[in-house]
Amino acid sequence: MTSLVLALPGNEEAAVEISRRTGSESGRVAVRRFPDGETSFRLLSDPRDRPVVLVCTLDRPDEKMLPLLFAAATARDLGARSVGLVAPYLAYLRQDRRFQPGEAVTSALFAQLLSGAMDWLVTVDPHLHRYHGLEEIYSIPAWVVHAAPLLSSWIKANVREPVVLGPDAESAQWAEEVARGAGAPVAILEKTRRGDRDVEVSVPDSGPWRERTPVLVDDIISTGRTMIAAVRALRLAGCPPPVCLGVHAVFAPGAHEELLESGASRVVTANTIRHPSNDVSVDGLLAQEVTSLEVDS
Ligand code: R5P
């Protein structure tokens, strides 16, 4: 039977695209807050005997998690055959070890919560640093789609004479793949992070590519401190104003504005989190992945 695609609040655009491209039905939910701050959740479409696909990107996850868990449980309660989640941005992956004594390893705890509620999960470029794959913490099938080919195409279409730059060692995995696809040279900068907002980036040797347009590529832009420090270091090294290209536009309050003011020529992100900087759409990739899952099931 045709899948029922349900958008949690704020995910309507992505859900409509996914249901249109997969030929599924777009269902409806009603979510509101009671005056005491509790959540009221209502499923307005019938999930009986159908695969249900919930669409909910998971930036600002704390406020989104309860409505999402209620949606999954209610769909099951009303007879859904299966419940899967499309989460274009998957949160809590950066807390991947106990950095301080007594600290919660929230990546694993969050994964347990989602694994208990969903039958499968699809996401875009999860921030895997010390984990090798989502299967290390998720006990459900978790599929990953990669935005790199889309970022490469964006660079090819929009930047003349680019050099792709990863702002730190962790970003090398994305930057190198994006550079290959764009047919551009690549270099990795050096980052020292002393605190959430205390970041220093240095440029090793810009000699070989100083005349090219720097395109900084990272998976997440959150406080923007990494990108801002990289932009400043590149400008000090005499490079042209860099383009900042990110997959997930997490953007803490004020971060986007500060990044634009720091000397970046342009800030562009994929639409895993809806934001004014979005100029790369992952909807097609997500729809393809959901279609292949349905074919397999
Ligand atoms: C590093 O862990 C990530 O790849 C990003 O560089 C980081 O998450 C960016 O964070 P922020 O924008 O807060 O510097």
Side-chain angles (χ1 to χ4, degrees):
M1 197 174 222
T2 331
S3 301
L4 184 64
V5 179
L6 300 172
L8 274 291
N11 296 271
E12 293 76 6
E13 226 181 292
V16 164
E17 273 304 299
I18 289 168
S19 57
R20 187 179 68 77
R21 290 171 191 250
T22 56
S24 312
E25 185 189 329
S26 226
R28 289 191 311 130
V29 303
V31 185
R32 71 178 186 91
R33 289 240 182 248
F34 287 115
D36 59 6
E38 292 183 4
T39 296
S40 154
F41 178 85
R42 197 172 158 210
L43 218 171
L44 301 171
S45 310
D46 186 4
R48 189 163 306 278
D49 293 330
R50 309 175 70 178
V52 166
V53 178
L54 300 173
V55 183
C56 185
T57 200
L58 284 169
D59 60 309
R60 280 84 193 164
D62 296 16
E63 65 202 54
K64 293 181 175 175
M65 203 52 183
L66 265 185
L68 181 59
L69 295 177
F70 290 152
T74 308
R76 285 191 204 284
D77 207 20
L78 296 174
R81 196 161 75 193
S82 62
V83 180
L85 171 66
V86 176
Y89 174 68
L90 189 57
Y92 276 115
L93 282 164
R94 291 196 286 179
Q95 318 296 321
D96 57 2
R97 69 170 213 219
R98 209 180 306 286
F99 296 98
Q100 305 285 336
E103 205 171 48
V105 184
T106 49
S107 52
L109 300 175
F110 191 72
Q112 275 169 29
L113 275 178
L114 278 185
S115 298
M118 310 294 166
D119 293 309
W120 54 263
L121 161 76
V122 170
T123 190
V124 181
D125 291 328
H127 184 85
L128 297 173
H129 177 34
R130 276 162 282 256
Y131 295 125
H132 298 103
L134 289 175
E135 66 282 359
E136 285 183 39
I137 44 173
Y138 281 82
S139 57
I140 50 171
W143 287 279
V144 170
V145 301
H146 297 288
L150 303 174
L151 301 187
S152 302
S153 304
W154 187 92
I155 293 173
K156 274 187 176 168
N158 292 282
V159 187
R160 285 219 331 247
E161 299 272 318
V163 52
V164 173
L165 301 174
D168 56 23
E170 278 174 52
S171 64
Q173 50 179 323
W174 336 101
E176 283 162 6
E177 199 183 335
V178 170
R180 249 193 317 279
V186 62
I188 306 301
L189 312 185
E190 281 158 23
K191 175 167 98 176
T192 312
R193 187 187 278 278
R194 293 187 207 89
D196 288 349
R197 290 169 191 275
D198 184 3
V199 174
E200 197 181 300
V201 171
S202 56
V203 178
D205 174 18
S206 62
W209 40 264
R210 189 171 303 137
E211 304 307 319
R212 289 180 164 259
T213 307
V215 182
L216 284 159
V217 175
D218 209 350
D219 61 336
I220 297 173
I221 311 179
S222 177
T223 63
R225 291 292 136 188
T226 300
M227 284 289 191
I228 290 170
V231 168
R232 290 190 178 140
L234 287 165
R235 296 300 279 144
L236 274 175
C239 302
V243 174
C244 296
L245 196 49
V247 179
H248 304 296
V250 173
F251 287 118
H256 183 222
E257 295 71 16
E258 276 183 70
L259 179 53
L260 288 169
E261 283 160 17
S262 72
S265 65
R266 210 169 154 187
V267 178
V268 170
T269 58
N271 64 348
T272 59
I273 299 166
R274 306 285 148 154
H275 186 267
S277 61
N278 292 167
D279 198 33
V280 173
S281 174
V282 296
D283 296 341
L285 284 183
L286 288 171
Q288 248 175 38
E289 193 62 31
V290 172
T291 309
S292 71
L293 298 180
E294 284 172 5
V295 168
D296 289 350
S297 67

